[in-house]
Amino acid sequence: MPPRSFMGLTGRPLSLAVSTVCTTGFLLFGYDQGVMSGIITGAAFNDVFTATKDNPTMQGFVTAIYEIGCLAGAVFILSYGDHLGRRRAMITGGTVMILGVIVQVSAIAGSNPLPQFIIGRVITGIGNGINTSSIPVYQSECSRTSNRGLLICIEGGVIAFGTLIAYWVDFGASYGPPDLTWRFPIAFQTVFALVVAIGPIWLPESPRWLLSRERYEEGEIVIAALRGLEVEDRETQLQKAIIIESIQASEHAGHGNSFRALFTGGKQQHFRRMLLGASSQLMQQVGGCNAVIYYFPILFEESIGQTRQVSLILGGVNMVVYACFATVSWFIIERAGRRKIFLWGTVGQCLSMVITFACLIPGTPQAAKGAAVGLFTYIASFGASWLPLPWLYPAEINPIKTRAKANAVSTCTNWLFNFLIVMITPIMIDNIKWGTYLFFAIVNACFIPIIYIFYPETANRSLEEIDLIFAKGFLEKKSYVLAAKQMPFLSDEEIEAKAIDFGFVDKDEEARINEKDGAEVMVPNDTA
């Protein structure tokens, strides 16, 4: 029986369609992150929203309130993500973002428009929080082991491309009529949001989510479709059995997914794995990325003495560098592995911050040019490492029982500390000047031992194989980093055998499922 198709696609084309929709979601994320930077200080915007005119505090609040919306969206997925499923969460997130955009661009001067605009920013943020909590999980659960890291790194990398598009759309719109200068850049993001809201309607649900809800027939149909195989094919059935064993190992039977599971240990190490994922998002934010993006145009305008127009163009060049280096991880993620990229990226960020604060100490325009070099090398190091990896690591390090909730916790951590850094960076720069960058240099240096000691390598491992790494470390009472190094790469058959060795498989449950599958004579084969 041939595999069922979705959108008329199976196998590699279907996987490409899944990746396209997921990547568009993160392109939207990057665009929405960057769009306000070019319009918040513009005359046309401030003429409509008069409270923001010459008021850096209000400008900062209008920009940063978006992060609060994103945090709320992540909390929503933390609470309801497992019930909704991956597809419906993405559809919800894209739709909410479109509603938020409509609220923002429909604000009219003279009718107290600022509260309406702020509400629209929060609504858009909620949609983005839903998307960023759901998309990496959906992508990881629909991907093959060989390309999972690449696909999610591409998603993380296109954040930079979204920011780049937003920066130059803002720049181009600034030459248009007053309403165009701010309404068009904000409205343009609906192009990406429509793809995220409509595309998943015709895509398959995550096979791991379906199997975790005991929807076994649908789960094997999706596995077969994503691999371009027949449902009865041995590889389809083996992959299904491995996923079910992983679910059983997490004591997950469709409706028993409790918050309490996030704080448990044992062979699955739910709590440790949640902390590993969340810590990567925390370190991404407190490493200083927003300080660099915030201060770059100010450095050129105030310290080096360039005009605002030249400073904006140089800021755009910085975004081009950011986007280019964001592609580096795409080519090395599976060969170099997660740990090495984390470590080398951290070293690059630390040294860049050292260059920046050292060159700002003299306080001269000439020395400040050296600081600009430091900011360029920082954004290059960040783009190649810490931009994409914190979106990949939580999605793959957590087991199926807690994956959605733990990934949502990681995303909540990102938005919480994003908001914190955005709010305190201007205060730090105003009060301690170059000491801000000394602070971030020290913080980055502290990351190195944490990553080296606690972060196990997950490259070229299936999601179920990662479960075995933690079981091995727990049962043999050894470092999980060491367990990952010592465990050989396993075939599907070997993973199934190892799961039995580690006591993951409930024989009665396995027999019941197999008996149920054997009773299913026909499988629907219509085209979705």
Side-chain angles (χ1 to χ4, degrees), residues 120-144:
R121 288 282 290 167
V122 172
I123 294 173
T124 305
I126 291 171
N128 189 57
I130 292 172
N131 286 339
T132 53
S133 297
S134 307
I135 289 174
V137 175
Y138 180 62
Q139 179 72 85
S140 69
E141 292 184 343
C142 290
S143 302
R144 291 176 175 266

Side-chain angles (χ1 to χ4, degrees), residues 6-20:
F6 295 83
M7 299 175 68
L9 305 172
T10 62
R12 183 178 176 83
L14 177 58
S15 296
L16 182 61
V18 169
S19 299
T20 299

Side-chain angles (χ1 to χ4, degrees), residues 77-254:
I77 291 299
L78 179 62
S79 303
Y80 301 105
D82 279 314
H83 175 74
L84 270 180
R86 319 313 187 211
R87 285 172 59 255
R88 284 189 292 176
M90 292 167 61
I91 294 168
T92 301
T95 303
V96 170
M97 290 194 77
I98 293 171
L99 292 175
V101 169
I102 293 172
V103 172
Q104 290 177 75
V105 299
S106 60
I108 301 173
S111 59
N112 198 18
L114 187 59
Q116 177 181 336
F117 189 82
I118 290 172
I119 291 170
R121 288 282 290 167
V122 172
I123 294 173
T124 305
I126 291 171
N128 189 57
I130 292 172
N131 286 339
T132 53
S133 297
S134 307
I135 289 174
V137 175
Y138 180 62
Q139 179 72 85
S140 69
E141 292 184 343
C142 290
S143 302
R144 291 176 175 266
T145 301
S146 58
N147 63 7
R148 181 185 68 243
L150 169 63
L151 293 174
I152 300 182
C153 274
I154 289 174
E155 287 174 16
V158 299
I159 296 173
F161 284 89
T163 305
L164 173 66
I165 293 170
Y167 196 98
W168 288 109
V169 167
D170 284 349
F171 186 80
S174 67
Y175 292 95
D179 271 348
L180 180 76
T181 60
W182 68 272
R183 293 188 197 270
F184 176 77
I186 293 173
F188 184 71
Q189 64 191 286
T190 57
V191 174
F192 308 125
L194 284 169
V195 175
V196 178
I198 296 174
I201 294 173
W202 294 285
L203 291 176
E205 180 54 87
S206 157
R208 288 173 170 86
W209 183 82
L210 290 170
L211 293 174
S212 74
R213 310 296 286 186
E214 297 186 337
R215 292 160 63 174
Y216 299 122
E217 183 181 347
E218 295 174 72
E220 66 182 4
I221 288 173
V222 174
I223 292 172
L226 289 170
R227 291 174 176 254
L229 302 171
E230 295 182 0
V231 172
E232 296 82 3
D233 189 277
R234 182 175 180 276
E235 184 179 341
T236 299
Q237 294 302 318
L238 180 58
Q239 187 64 31
K240 172 188 170 185
I242 291 170
I243 294 171
I244 290 173
E245 287 164 7
S246 175
I247 295 168
Q248 291 175 350
S250 288
E251 299 175 352
H252 186 78

Side-chain angles (χ1 to χ4, degrees), residues 123-441:
I123 294 173
T124 305
I126 291 171
N128 189 57
I130 292 172
N131 286 339
T132 53
S133 297
S134 307
I135 289 174
V137 175
Y138 180 62
Q139 179 72 85
S140 69
E141 292 184 343
C142 290
S143 302
R144 291 176 175 266
T145 301
S146 58
N147 63 7
R148 181 185 68 243
L150 169 63
L151 293 174
I152 300 182
C153 274
I154 289 174
E155 287 174 16
V158 299
I159 296 173
F161 284 89
T163 305
L164 173 66
I165 293 170
Y167 196 98
W168 288 109
V169 167
D170 284 349
F171 186 80
S174 67
Y175 292 95
D179 271 348
L180 180 76
T181 60
W182 68 272
R183 293 188 197 270
F184 176 77
I186 293 173
F188 184 71
Q189 64 191 286
T190 57
V191 174
F192 308 125
L194 284 169
V195 175
V196 178
I198 296 174
I201 294 173
W202 294 285
L203 291 176
E205 180 54 87
S206 157
R208 288 173 170 86
W209 183 82
L210 290 170
L211 293 174
S212 74
R213 310 296 286 186
E214 297 186 337
R215 292 160 63 174
Y216 299 122
E217 183 181 347
E218 295 174 72
E220 66 182 4
I221 288 173
V222 174
I223 292 172
L226 289 170
R227 291 174 176 254
L229 302 171
E230 295 182 0
V231 172
E232 296 82 3
D233 189 277
R234 182 175 180 276
E235 184 179 341
T236 299
Q237 294 302 318
L238 180 58
Q239 187 64 31
K240 172 188 170 185
I242 291 170
I243 294 171
I244 290 173
E245 287 164 7
S246 175
I247 295 168
Q248 291 175 350
S250 288
E251 299 175 352
H252 186 78
H255 304 287
N257 199 359
S258 164
F259 281 103
R260 288 180 296 177
L262 289 171
F263 303 97
T264 58
K267 286 183 287 189
Q268 285 292 315
Q269 289 292 300
H270 294 142
F271 184 58
R272 172 183 285 268
R273 294 162 78 172
M274 179 185 71
L275 289 180
L276 286 172
S279 66
S280 69
Q281 291 279 22
L282 184 149
M283 289 190 281
Q284 181 196 63
Q285 293 303 317
V286 301
C289 59
N290 281 301
V292 172
I293 294 169
Y294 170 85
Y295 193 54
F296 201 90
I298 296 176
L299 175 71
F300 273 99
E301 192 169 351
E302 297 183 1
S303 299
I304 303 179
Q306 299 294 335
T307 64
R308 173 170 172 78
Q309 199 74 354
V310 171
S311 298
L312 288 174
I313 292 173
L314 289 171
V317 172
N318 190 41
M319 289 297 102
V320 172
V321 171
Y322 182 34
C324 289
F325 275 89
T327 66
V328 169
S329 65
W330 304 358
F331 304 101
I332 64 174
I333 184 62
E334 297 299 348
R335 283 179 292 177
R338 285 49 158 167
R339 278 169 56 85
K340 288 182 180 178
I341 298 176
F342 268 133
L343 288 168
W344 284 113
T346 303
V347 170
Q349 290 182 175
C350 180
L351 294 178
S352 297
M353 286 298 187
V354 170
I355 293 171
T356 301
F357 89 76
C359 291
L360 287 175
I361 291 175
T364 63
Q366 192 65 27
K369 292 178 181 178
V373 173
L375 297 183
F376 269 115
T377 58
Y378 177 93
I379 209 68
S381 299
F382 175 78
S385 57
W386 280 97
L387 172 65
L389 282 184
W391 298 104
L392 165 63
Y393 206 64
E396 66 181 7
I397 200 69
N398 288 291
I400 191 167
K401 178 175 185 179
T402 60
R403 186 171 293 133
K405 284 183 169 60
N407 198 70
V409 169
S410 300
T411 309
C412 288
T413 303
N414 178 285
W415 293 118
L416 182 62
F417 282 90
N418 188 317
F419 177 77
L420 176 66
I421 296 299
V422 166
M423 292 300 292
I424 69 170
T425 293
I427 299 170
M428 292 175 68
I429 291 174
D430 187 52
N431 287 279
I432 60 176
K433 312 297 182 189
W434 57 264
T436 303
Y437 298 92
L438 171 60
F439 168 78
F440 286 122

